[in-house]
Amino acid sequence: MPGRQVLETALDQLSSKSLFVTAEGKVEFCDTTFSDELGYDRDTLLDSNLFDALVPPEKQDTAYQTFEQAITQDRDLEECETPIRSAEGECRSIAWLDVVDDGDQTIVIGRLTTPETIPLFDHELEPYRTLVEHFPNGLITLFDEDLRFRIVGGPAFEEVGLSPEALRDNRLPDVFPEENVDELRPLFRRALEGETTATTLPLEDRFFEVQVLPVRDDSGDIVAGMSVSQDVTKPITRKRELEEARDRYKSLIQNAPVPIFAGDETGTVHEMNESAEELTGMSREELIGDSMLKIHPSEEEEQYKAGIRQHANEGGTRRYLPNGGQIYVVNDGTRIPVEIAASVIDQDEGTLVHALFRDISDHVWYENTLEELHENAGKLVRATTDSEIAQTIVDTAVDTLDLQLVSVNLVDTDAEILSPVSHSDDVVDVIGDAPSLPLTDSLAGEVFLSNEAIRVDDVRSREEVYNPDTPIRSQLIVPIGEFGVIICGSTTAATFDQEDQRLLELLARNAESVFTRVNREQELRRREQDLKTRSETLERVEGLNTRIRKLTQIASRSETRDELEQEVCELLSDTDPFVFGWVGELSPERDEIVPRTWAGRDQGYLDSCPLTLDNMAADPAVQTAQTSNPTIVSNTATDVQQEPWRREAISRNLSSVIAVPIVFQDVLYGVLTLYAEDRDAITDRIRDVLTDWGEIMGYAVKETERPSTILTKQGTAVRFSVESAACPLLRIARNSQCTLLFEGLREQEGDEATVFVRVYDSSAQQFMEAAEQATVISSVTQVSGSDDGLLFQLTITEMFIASVLARYGILLESIVGEDEDSVRVRVVTPPTIPVHRVVDIFSTEYPESTLLGTDDLNDYPQRQTEVGDQALQNLTDRQREALELAYHGGYFESPKGLSGQELAEQMDISWSSFNVHLRTAERKLLDAILGSSHPSDSVMDSR
């Protein structure tokens, strides 16, 4: 292959003004003619970059871009020239001839063009230069046959980034973007051929309207071409914006979710969208060009014509016809209520009306439902009970609100539950009996407590659901204030919406106001009834209290129990509301109630009713005897088949009963039972008054049965074995294994008492040491000692066995210490106190006791004790103590037991003082028994 020098020599001989460059513009070869004509050193040009060395700086980017496009995009090289500048600043150009690619390198072959001039540009076209320079608007150029711009001017250059200098002496492809060149080149060529053309081109961010025309000399020959460009950016922008707006408008109409019709003032349809087709059920082909009347009910055509004219003239939003009727659209026979919003646009070609249709079926349904709710509110107002209100709520929710599985649950605050009061028929079909729901751990309870409605799409997803396996999926629960909740359900998920909730809440608010009114009225009626009942009760209680006061007086003067009980029965059976009464007591065998006395309208009732204690359905008196609590039966007609006594009572018109215990200090003496003709006649006030009277009567009975003297030996002796050592006398007898005979008791203030006991089987020292160890024994004194036992006087500061029994009229006779665990006690009860009552009293006071047996004491002489008791009450404490010490110390016996001096020492007084106390006590006692034959002290004092 020949070397570079040989190749260059050959090329130099074949051509002149030639050069080879790479695709990047590096000069690989140029001949001497090329370098000499441009005025550059050949060696300097070799290996230099053409675009950096020869192309003017302002044209380098555009020139290289054109060059690159020509060799890479198979463009016509004949139309591609690169502008250069000589060393003296003359504008020249290189025409590119061919591209050679050997696989390793791309070489572009070019040649320096000969400068061509059109003389006319210098002479004949001089007037055009003045025109160009003073062109008022736009851009104007004159170009030659090479499409080189020779004259350039116009103010439009200020608006684009292109100066006249950048165009002048440069060819069209060298200065304009490719897309502009492609558009202008054929127009420029046609102008040089004598044709006038025009086009609109974008340049940068502006638009120009370009007119291309030939330039002729005086002889009519074409000497150049002219381009006149005017800036039409504003009108084109406005036009495009208008077109875009129209496109957006059309797109908006077509894609709008609401039905839209466009037409004229006569109602003729010009345009409609897909939503309008869905609303009417008619296609565009069926409606466009036809009248809007076609989509409305035909039977009201005149009203719709008038409405269309009015709407077209006034615009605005309407849902009613001129006659006030609802506007409807008919779709396949179905009338759909609509609301129409119309806007009127005046155009040159006429009036354009845009109508937006809105399906208001839900709204109309809502209004109608509200109206029905208002009508149903009247039904609610007429309801007078909770159950009527609840049923009206259910009916309204089902029939008016179109809800299902509806129930109304009202609160039971005592049980803390929401109980179903009324429900729709489908509730039983789906879940069976409607359950009561707890206030906690249930959705309904949560709604009631928070007083806020909830709408649950799937109840199974909530932890508070009462039944996780419920077939109900979705629920709507609304509170009714403080009264309860309304529950609606569905077996499918997500059934209820906000509209359902709002309507049900409105129904709940109406119901709440009705519940409030009904409850207030019921409360007023209850108060009126309570006032009436209270008034009647107060009258009855006042009458009863008057009788009770009279009974209290009777109790204070009654000498026997029979007399007291008879007067009580007679008086109370004649007191409103009672018509019959009786008093009974437990039989000695304690297996039945035995009537003691009765009064009023008996009519054989007591003979007909079993009164045994083993009869669980017996008369109330038996129940009271079993429990020692009052028993009230407000209506004897209830359970009449199960309890025979009720039949007997009803047959005698005895409708209500009260039985109260006759009790004192937990000892049941009997039962007072009273019957009334009216149901619910026994109020709490009457019960309280009679219960109090039962205790008063118990005390009175006990007092009438109390023996005349605490030392009487007449009656029955009852023997017990006692393991308890709570009483000091029991404890002393048990620990000392001795026998104590109880000989006297004198109770003083409070629980303190003076006791005389005779001790056997124990020394005086041993007994006194045992007595002194008891903290409740404040003093112990030995009164006497003989073969008949040791007599001691004890002062005990709290209740003990003798004083406890004495309050019931029972005499403590002896205490015998049997072993280390128990003592044997013997008591004496008068004939008026049954043995079973003694056992009850003793067992109550000393639970660890066992009945051993009884002994009859009927041959003991009876003493008259009322006079003795009255005489002892007239003595001072010192006088009574001196008398009791003398009596128990054997002072009045012969031979005399203790002397007066010894007794005085026990009382810690002088013998003379003891003698005065003793003699005064004797005189008062004899005076009370025998009567005084001497004037009393008061009489003597008055003298």
Side-chain angles (χ1 to χ4, degrees):
M1 182 177 180
R4 177 176 180 178
Q5 185 175 0
V6 177
L7 181 61
E8 290 178 353
T9 301
L11 290 173
D12 190 39
Q13 293 176 351
L14 293 173
S15 176
S16 62
K17 303 180 185 180
S18 298
L19 82 162
F20 298 168
V21 298
T22 65
E24 291 79 18
K26 180 182 177 182
V27 180
E28 292 288 337
F29 166 80
C30 68
D31 58 20
T32 55
T33 305
F34 182 89
S35 58
D36 292 342
E37 190 168 330
L38 291 177
Y40 289 100
D41 180 64
R42 183 173 179 271
D43 293 335
T44 302
L45 291 177
L46 293 175
D47 293 332
S48 66
N49 188 287
L50 170 67
F51 297 96
D52 294 337
L54 299 180
V55 178
E58 67 273 11
K59 299 180 179 181
Q60 287 177 358
D61 292 341
T62 303
Y64 180 73
Q65 183 179 6
T66 303
F67 171 79
E68 184 182 29
Q69 291 176 349
I71 65 176
T72 59
Q73 300 181 7
D74 297 330
R75 294 187 57 179
D76 188 0
L77 284 176
E78 294 179 0
E79 297 181 1
C80 181
E81 292 185 2
T82 298
I84 60 174
R85 188 168 292 173
S86 67
E88 296 179 358
E90 181 185 7
C91 293
R92 301 289 297 275
S93 63
I94 298 173
W96 301 106
L97 306 177
D98 198 4
V99 179
V100 179
D101 189 351
D102 63 357
D104 295 329
Q105 190 177 33
T106 300
I107 297 296
V108 185
I109 303 172
R111 182 176 58 206
L112 181 65
T113 62
T114 301
E116 297 181 4
T117 60
I118 302 177
L120 290 178
F121 270 93
D122 296 329
H123 303 287
E124 299 295 334
L125 298 182
E126 190 61 30
Y128 289 97
R129 187 181 302 278
T130 303
L131 173 64
V132 170
E133 291 177 353
H134 294 87
F135 191 72
N137 179 27
L139 184 150
I140 188 169
T141 68
L142 271 71
F143 54 87
D144 59 19
E145 292 181 351
D146 291 334
L147 305 185
R148 190 184 304 276
F149 296 107
R150 304 309 297 273
I151 299 176
V152 182
F157 284 107
E158 298 175 0
E159 303 296 333
V160 295
L162 189 65
S163 66
E165 290 76 15
L167 271 67
R168 191 177 294 118
D169 296 330
N170 285 299
R171 298 175 68 246
L172 175 67
D174 300 334
V175 292
F176 281 96
E178 180 181 352
E179 60 270 17
N180 294 100
V181 173
D182 292 342
E183 181 75 19
L184 291 174
R185 182 186 287 118
L187 301 184
F188 277 31
R189 294 293 184 193
R190 289 161 65 182
L192 293 174
E193 294 174 358
E195 186 179 349
T196 300
T197 57
T199 187
T200 301
L201 292 176
L203 183 60
E204 296 184 0
D205 58 348
R206 309 192 68 76
F207 294 92
F208 290 89
E209 185 177 337
V210 182
Q211 185 177 11
V212 185
L213 65 160
V215 177
R216 301 176 186 271
D217 60 10
D218 293 339
S219 60
D221 296 330
I222 297 173
V223 295
M226 177 184 292
S227 69
V228 180
S229 303
Q230 288 187 314
D231 190 343
V232 291
T233 302
K234 289 184 178 179
I236 287 181
T237 302
R238 285 196 298 271
K239 181 180 179 182
R240 288 191 173 183
E241 288 177 350
L242 180 60
E243 290 176 351
E244 291 175 357
R246 287 177 178 172
D247 291 341
R248 288 195 300 270
Y249 171 72
K250 290 182 179 179
S251 177
L252 177 63
I253 289 180
Q254 289 302 321
N255 298 318
V258 295
I260 299 178
F261 294 88
D264 56 29
E265 67 274 14
T266 65
T268 301
V269 180
H270 293 173
E271 187 60 71
M272 59 186 288
N273 62 359
E274 292 182 2
S275 297
E277 292 182 275
E278 294 177 3
L279 174 67
T280 61
M282 298 182 183
S283 66
R284 293 164 52 86
E285 291 74 14
E286 292 179 271
L287 276 179
I288 291 179
D290 209 336
S291 174
M292 290 286 293
L293 294 173
K294 193 173 182 179
I295 69 173
H296 295 297
S298 59
E299 60 269 20
E300 298 180 79
E301 182 175 327
E302 293 301 322
Q303 286 294 324
Y304 279 95
K305 281 183 180 180
I308 290 173
R309 288 194 299 268
Q310 185 179 17
H311 217 172
N313 292 331
E314 301 175 3
T317 301
R318 302 174 187 272
R319 58 172 291 189
Y320 299 108
L321 294 170
N323 64 356
Q326 171 67 51
I327 299 175
Y328 290 97
V329 167
V330 179
N331 184 334
D332 194 21
T334 301
R335 294 163 65 98
I336 302 173
V338 295
E339 181 180 73
I340 305 174
S343 60
V344 182
I345 303 173
D346 292 326
Q347 297 179 331
D348 294 338
E349 57 270 20
T351 301
L352 179 66
V353 181
H354 288 86
L356 280 70
F357 282 57
R358 184 167 71 93
D359 184 347
I360 58 173
S361 300
D362 291 341
H363 184 73
V364 171
W365 175 83
Y366 185 76
E367 288 182 341
N368 293 337
T369 301
L370 287 179
E371 186 176 351
E372 290 184 30
L373 283 178
H374 180 70
E375 294 176 357
N376 288 327
K379 297 180 181 179
L380 280 173
V381 170
R382 291 191 293 272
T384 58
T385 65
D386 290 350
S387 59
E388 289 180 4
I389 299 173
Q391 186 59 50
T392 303
I393 294 172
V394 171
D395 295 341
T396 303
V398 173
D399 300 335
T400 302
L401 305 185
D402 197 24
L403 299 174
Q404 54 184 326
L405 296 173
V406 182
S407 68
V408 175
N409 290 44
L410 300 184
V411 66
D412 183 343
T413 53
D414 294 334
E416 296 185 349
I417 58 173
L418 292 164
S419 299
V421 177
S422 181
H423 55 76
S424 56
D425 296 337
D426 54 354
V427 170
V428 177
D429 299 334
V430 175
I431 65 173
D433 293 336
S436 294
L437 302 172
L439 293 184
T440 56
D441 299 327
S442 71
L443 290 172
E446 177 184 330
V447 169
F448 177 78
L449 295 176
S450 65
N451 198 31
E452 293 182 0
I454 62 172
R455 197 171 64 249
V456 184
D457 290 339
D458 190 350
V459 296
R460 298 178 185 175
S461 64
R462 297 290 295 267
E463 295 181 356
E464 304 92 333
V465 62
Y466 178 68
N467 177 15
D469 299 325
T470 177
I472 295 177
R473 296 299 302 276
S474 56
Q475 275 191 331
L476 171 60
I477 308 176
V478 173
I480 317 175
E482 62 182 12
F483 302 101
V485 295
I486 306 173
I487 305 174
C488 301
S490 174
T491 54
T492 58
T495 300
F496 304 102
D497 57 19
Q498 185 67 33
E499 205 72 24
D500 295 325
Q501 181 174 335
R502 283 198 296 266
L503 291 171
L504 194 60
E505 285 177 337
L506 177 59
L507 176 60
R509 286 195 295 271
N510 291 339
E512 181 182 1
S513 64
V514 176
F515 271 119
T516 301
R517 175 187 59 78
V518 169
N519 277 261
R520 183 169 59 249
E521 291 175 354
Q522 291 176 347
E523 180 63 24
L524 289 175
R525 286 194 294 270
R526 281 195 296 269
R527 289 184 179 180
E528 291 177 358
Q529 185 61 37
D530 287 346
L531 288 174
K532 181 179 179 181
T533 303
R534 286 186 181 182
S535 178
E536 295 175 354
T537 300
L538 287 174
E539 292 178 1
R540 289 178 173 179
V541 171
E542 182 59 30
L544 188 59
N545 280 329
T546 301
R547 298 301 178 96
I548 294 298
R549 286 192 292 271
K550 186 173 182 180
L551 288 175
T552 303
Q553 297 173 358
I554 293 173
S556 64
R557 68 170 185 265
S558 295
E559 296 183 357
T560 66
R561 176 177 178 176
D562 291 341
E563 178 186 351
L564 171 63
E565 290 175 341
Q566 185 62 42
E567 293 198 50
V568 168
C569 286
E570 291 177 354
L571 197 60
L572 291 181
S573 63
D574 192 34
T575 301
D576 186 41
F578 303 114
V579 295
F580 170 54
W582 64 284
V583 174
E585 68 171 350
L586 286 172
S587 65
E589 295 78 13
R590 301 178 58 80
D591 58 355
E592 65 175 339
I593 294 290
V594 178
R596 288 179 53 85
T597 185
W598 53 90
R601 201 177 64 215
D602 171 27
Q603 299 177 341
Y605 173 80
L606 295 176
D607 296 332
S608 304
C609 293
L611 300 175
T612 56
L613 268 61
D614 59 355
N615 187 355
M616 299 302 295
D619 184 274
V622 175
Q623 300 178 41
T624 296
Q626 292 171 329
T627 63
S628 294
N629 294 318
T631 302
I632 297 176
V633 177
S634 299
N635 183 7
T636 56
T638 305
D639 296 330
V640 69
Q641 299 297 328
Q642 286 73 28
E643 300 182 20
W645 72 270
R646 293 177 182 264
R647 290 197 301 272
E648 301 297 334
I650 286 297
S651 66
R652 294 166 175 81
N653 199 26
L654 304 177
S655 299
S656 55
V657 188
I658 180 172
V660 296
I662 302 172
V663 62
F664 181 71
Q665 292 183 340
D666 297 327
V667 176
L668 181 68
Y669 290 91
V671 178
L672 170 63
T673 308
L674 299 169
Y675 300 78
E677 289 184 335
D678 299 329
R679 296 179 181 179
D680 301 312
I682 294 113
T683 64
D684 293 342
R685 295 288 298 274
I686 293 177
R687 178 202 60 197
D688 294 341
V689 170
L690 290 176
T691 300
D692 291 341
W693 165 246
E695 295 182 1
I696 296 173
M697 186 174 178
Y699 174 78
V701 170
K702 188 268 296 185
E703 286 299 313
T704 58
E705 291 183 342
R706 186 166 182 169
S708 300
T709 175
I710 207 161
L711 297 179
T712 182
K713 298 291 183 172
Q714 190 175 14
T716 303
V718 185
R719 290 173 282 108
F720 297 92
S721 175
V722 184
E723 295 183 3
S724 173
C727 173
L729 294 184
L730 298 176
R731 189 164 54 252
I732 292 172
R734 186 196 64 183
N735 295 340
S736 300
Q737 296 291 297
C738 63
T739 298
L740 304 180
L741 296 183
F742 177 75
E743 294 202 357
L745 167 67
R746 179 166 57 89
E747 294 181 336
Q748 299 173 0
E749 294 183 1
D751 293 332
E752 185 173 295
T754 298
V755 184
F756 291 93
V757 295
R758 193 170 298 277
V759 181
Y760 297 91
D761 303 325
S762 177
S763 64
Q765 180 179 358
Q766 182 181 7
F767 178 80
M768 293 186 69
E769 289 177 354
E772 291 173 352
Q773 290 178 358
T775 58
V776 297
I777 298 178
S778 60
S779 66
V780 54
T781 304
Q782 182 177 356
V783 178
S784 65
S786 63
D787 295 339
D788 198 19
L790 303 174
L791 183 64
F792 289 92
Q793 177 185 351
L794 305 176
T795 302
I796 302 178
T797 59
E798 69 176 22
M799 293 288 289
F800 72 108
I801 186 170
S803 58
V804 169
L805 297 176
R807 293 191 176 185
Y808 297 100
I810 303 171
L811 170 66
L812 173 65
E813 187 178 69
S814 64
I815 303 173
V816 179
E818 290 188 315
D819 51 40
E820 296 179 355
D821 297 326
S822 62
V823 296
R824 189 170 66 253
V825 178
R826 176 182 166 107
V827 299
V828 176
T829 176
T832 55
I833 301 179
V835 173
H836 68 79
R837 193 177 304 155
V838 177
V839 175
D840 284 344
I841 295 171
F842 202 93
S843 299
T844 300
E845 297 294 338
Y846 304 97
E848 298 179 6
S849 61
T850 304
L851 177 65
L852 298 178
T854 61
D855 300 314
D856 188 11
L857 299 178
N858 287 335
D859 53 349
Y860 274 63
Q862 180 178 2
R863 296 178 52 189
Q864 297 179 357
T865 60
E866 291 185 4
V867 176
D869 286 342
Q870 183 178 2
L872 291 176
Q873 291 175 2
N874 292 332
L875 302 182
T876 65
D877 291 341
R878 277 305 207 182
Q879 292 168 359
R880 182 165 180 172
E881 182 180 6
L883 183 62
E884 289 175 342
L885 282 174
Y887 174 78
H888 293 293
Y891 181 78
F892 300 108
E893 297 178 1
S894 180
K896 185 175 295 186
L898 295 179
S899 64
Q901 185 63 40
E902 291 174 324
L903 295 172
E905 291 177 357
Q906 289 188 14
M907 292 183 63
D908 196 21
I909 57 178
S910 64
W911 179 86
S912 60
S913 296
F914 171 77
N915 190 51
V916 170
H917 289 314
L918 181 60
R919 296 308 177 190
T920 304
E922 290 175 345
R923 178 175 57 80
K924 288 183 178 180
L925 184 60
L926 293 173
D927 186 58
I929 296 174
L930 301 177
S932 177
S933 57
H934 301 283
S936 65
D937 292 341
S938 59
V939 175
M940 296 298 294
D941 291 341
S942 64
R943 293 183 60 188

